[in-house]
Amino acid sequence: MSLSHFIRSAINAGRSTSSKLALSARSTTPFATSLFSQSGNRPFCSDSNNSRSESEKSTTASAASYYHLSGGPSHMRAAVFWEPGKPLTFEDFHMPRPKANEVLIKTKACGVCHSDLHVIKGELPFPSPCVVGHEITGEVVEHGQLSDSKIIERFPVGSQVVGAFIMPCGSCSFCSKGQDDLCEAFFAYNRAKGTLYDGETRLFLRSSGKPVYMYSMGGLAEYCVVPAHALSVLPNSLPYTESAILGCAVFTAYGAMAHAAEVRPGDAIAVIGIGGVGSSCLQIARAFGASEIIAVDVQDEKLQKAKFLGATHCVNASKEDAVKTIKDITGGLGVDIAVEALGKPQTFLQCVQSVRDGGKAVMIGLTLSGAKGEVDINHLVRRQIKVIGSYGARARQDLPRLIKLAESGIFNLTAAVSRTCKFEDAPQAYRDLDQGAITGRAVVEIM
């Protein structure tokens, strides 16, 4: 069987282990207890886009304070970002309460992503205080009242699941057309206001009842609320910890390769920036049958790992001219597709300059808000260069496909995760990520 046939078979053919409604076969631990001592009260930092009357806030907080998970605790712990330059702190929260078509998840693992770091450093505007963390796995413990019966049937209590960071509402104009990655509600509410799609957060401090915002589902927490359309059942064969990266690192890479770049067998591809997302791009490119896969970075350690993940050539941009080397490798033509996974004006330009005539430059790296990338307009026009932005994949269609790629071994989750750490070590993991000390993806274990 050819590689392309095998990939199609792995993606499209239903496996009995994942097509059934899978209840968790892993050992179930008692409900989590507090991991840290009670912290003091913190001031609530209001945001102009999220202003509500004090009566509305107190009413919502009061309702949350009376919520008690059946058979479990009434509160949980989560890591809170307060403001740039201040460390994450662990705080007690009322148990988050899911609403209609939302699912309460007992979080098992959460990936450490550069997008969170941009928020923590104040490089991307986002309401604060907030709980970051947006690639998670976990166990379903409750459904919101009035949830669709099909959602309850698909994700029964006890199911093990993985969540995508783009959480589609399922009913806006884009979601109706299958373009979950452009969901209007996600960008209008979650990314703009730090809430879910009724305009409210699900997170309230136990000490004061004050609301705290959510970056995606606010995954650096013992429990989180996720809109059901962002979830897929995780087979028993896949581990909780490594599978967390399916929801962002692999999800983002797949969206770039499948939808923006539309990779075809035989394409020559360059990936600039070999972090968690960039290294996932290498594996996806290999799975799609790319002939030449060129990894570009400034760290030899990352480039060495890139060879194992599918790179056929490696370029250290601190030691050689990356664009010239890419063109030398491709016989002077440039690559069919170049992917920028770092988010810097310099690498934006390198990406555009590295593609052949008629080629595609795909931008997936987030950067400092307001940063600009320059491009030679005449070259862009005359040589038909396509510059494409890509934020992620489509949760309802693509997340099940990624699970099958991982389940079949085509995508190696274990190789993609370079570090695991305990919940209390999450702040240090972000500091290490900021220093470039994490070569692939770090995952926080919250079990």
Side-chain angles (χ1 to χ4, degrees):
M1 179 184 292
S2 68
L3 176 60
S4 61
H5 285 159
F6 182 68
I7 293 172
R8 282 195 294 271
S9 175
I11 292 177
N12 296 320
R15 288 170 176 258
S16 60
T17 57
S18 58
S19 61
K20 297 178 180 178
L21 294 173
L23 291 177
S24 175
R26 297 185 176 90
S27 59
T28 302
T29 57
F31 285 105
T33 55
S34 296
L35 300 178
F36 306 93
S37 60
Q38 174 74 29
S39 54
N41 293 346
R42 299 275 182 174
F44 172 67
C45 303
S46 64
D47 182 90
S48 59
N49 290 330
N50 294 273
S51 59
R52 300 196 309 273
S53 70
E54 287 303 318
S55 61
E56 287 177 312
K57 291 176 184 176
S58 62
T59 298
T60 308
S62 176
S65 67
Y66 290 104
Y67 179 60
H68 194 288
L69 181 63
S70 177
S74 61
H75 58 91
M76 67 157 195
R77 302 289 275 176
V80 178
F81 161 70
W82 296 95
E83 59 183 279
K86 297 292 180 67
L88 299 178
T89 64
F90 292 92
E91 309 292 339
D92 276 323
F93 284 80
H94 294 297
M95 181 61 62
R97 185 172 196 168
K99 296 186 180 181
N101 299 326
E102 297 173 353
V103 181
L104 180 63
I105 305 297
K106 177 176 171 57
T107 316
K108 298 293 186 177
C110 181
V112 177
C113 179
H114 240 108
S115 297
D116 296 324
L117 185 60
H118 284 309
V119 171
I120 292 169
K121 294 173 68 176
E123 296 174 347
L124 287 178
F126 196 79
S128 63
C130 70
V131 174
V132 294
H134 57 271
E135 52 179 20
I136 61 105
T137 54
E139 179 185 337
V140 174
V141 294
E142 195 158 274
H143 303 93
Q145 290 185 353
L146 304 179
S147 288
D148 189 293
S149 60
K150 292 183 179 179
I151 288 174
I152 298 173
E153 181 182 347
R154 184 181 177 197
F155 304 113
V157 170
S159 297
Q160 51 204 38
V161 293
V162 58
F165 83 93
I166 297 180
M167 307 180 300
C169 70
S171 58
C172 71
S173 61
F174 286 109
C175 286
S176 297
K177 293 184 289 188
Q179 294 177 284
D180 291 6
D181 48 334
L182 291 174
C183 174
E184 291 172 304
F186 173 74
F187 287 100
Y189 286 94
N190 189 264
R191 280 299 177 266
K193 300 181 180 181
T195 70
L196 293 185
Y197 308 146
D198 60 349
E200 299 283 350
T201 181
R202 303 295 180 264
L203 299 175
F204 298 90
L205 290 170
R206 191 181 179 201
S207 59
S208 63
K210 294 293 187 179
V212 172
Y213 301 114
M214 305 164 66
Y215 192 72
S216 289
M217 70 286 290
L220 272 179
E222 292 175 328
Y223 293 82
C224 61
V225 172
V226 188
H229 290 310
L231 296 170
S232 284
V233 172
L234 188 68
N236 295 333
S237 58
L238 293 179
Y240 275 128
T241 299
E242 289 81 0
S243 297
I245 70 168
L246 289 169
C248 179
V250 187
F251 188 75
T252 302
Y254 187 88
M257 293 297 180
H259 303 306
E262 298 178 310
V263 177
R264 299 290 181 264
D267 280 345
I269 295 174
V271 179
I272 302 172
I274 311 301
V277 175
S279 59
S280 294
C281 285
L282 300 177
Q283 290 208 60
I284 298 294
R286 179 174 61 183
F288 282 8
S291 59
E292 293 169 312
I293 304 173
I294 305 169
V296 181
D297 205 279
V298 295
Q299 295 186 26
D300 286 331
E301 184 180 0
K302 291 184 178 181
L303 293 172
Q304 284 296 322
K305 185 172 183 178
K307 294 178 182 178
F308 177 74
L309 298 175
T312 59
H313 302 80
C314 293
V315 179
N316 189 319
S318 68
K319 300 176 182 178
E320 53 189 316
D321 185 323
V323 175
K324 181 180 182 301
T325 304
I326 288 171
K327 291 194 172 180
D328 288 343
I329 293 169
T330 56
L333 296 175
V335 290
D336 299 289
I337 298 154
V339 178
E340 199 282 344
L342 190 59
K344 292 189 175 182
Q346 179 186 358
T347 48
F348 176 96
L349 182 59
Q350 287 176 335
C351 184
V352 175
Q353 292 176 334
S354 296
V355 300
R356 64 165 177 79
D357 293 352
K360 298 176 182 178
V362 180
M363 308 299 169
I364 60 177
L366 292 177
T367 186
L368 181 68
S369 182
K372 302 293 190 295
E374 294 185 354
V375 63
D376 184 332
I377 295 176
N378 287 343
H379 177 70
L380 192 77
V381 172
R382 289 170 175 166
R383 310 321 300 168
Q384 299 181 32
I385 307 300
K386 302 171 183 67
V387 179
I388 308 167
S390 180
Y391 191 50
R394 299 164 184 172
R396 290 176 295 175
Q397 303 96 317
D398 295 336
L399 193 54
R401 292 170 179 156
L402 294 178
I403 290 170
K404 291 184 182 299
L405 285 178
E407 191 180 18
S408 68
I410 293 175
F411 191 97
N412 188 329
L413 287 172
T414 302
V417 175
S418 57
R419 181 193 299 187
T420 60
C421 64
K422 297 179 180 179
F423 193 20
E424 58 265 33
D425 295 327
Q428 183 62 48
Y430 283 105
R431 288 192 289 269
D432 291 344
L433 182 65
D434 189 34
Q435 297 298 316
I438 298 176
T439 58
R441 196 60 139 201
V443 177
V444 178
E445 295 180 321
I446 308 179
M447 294 178 279

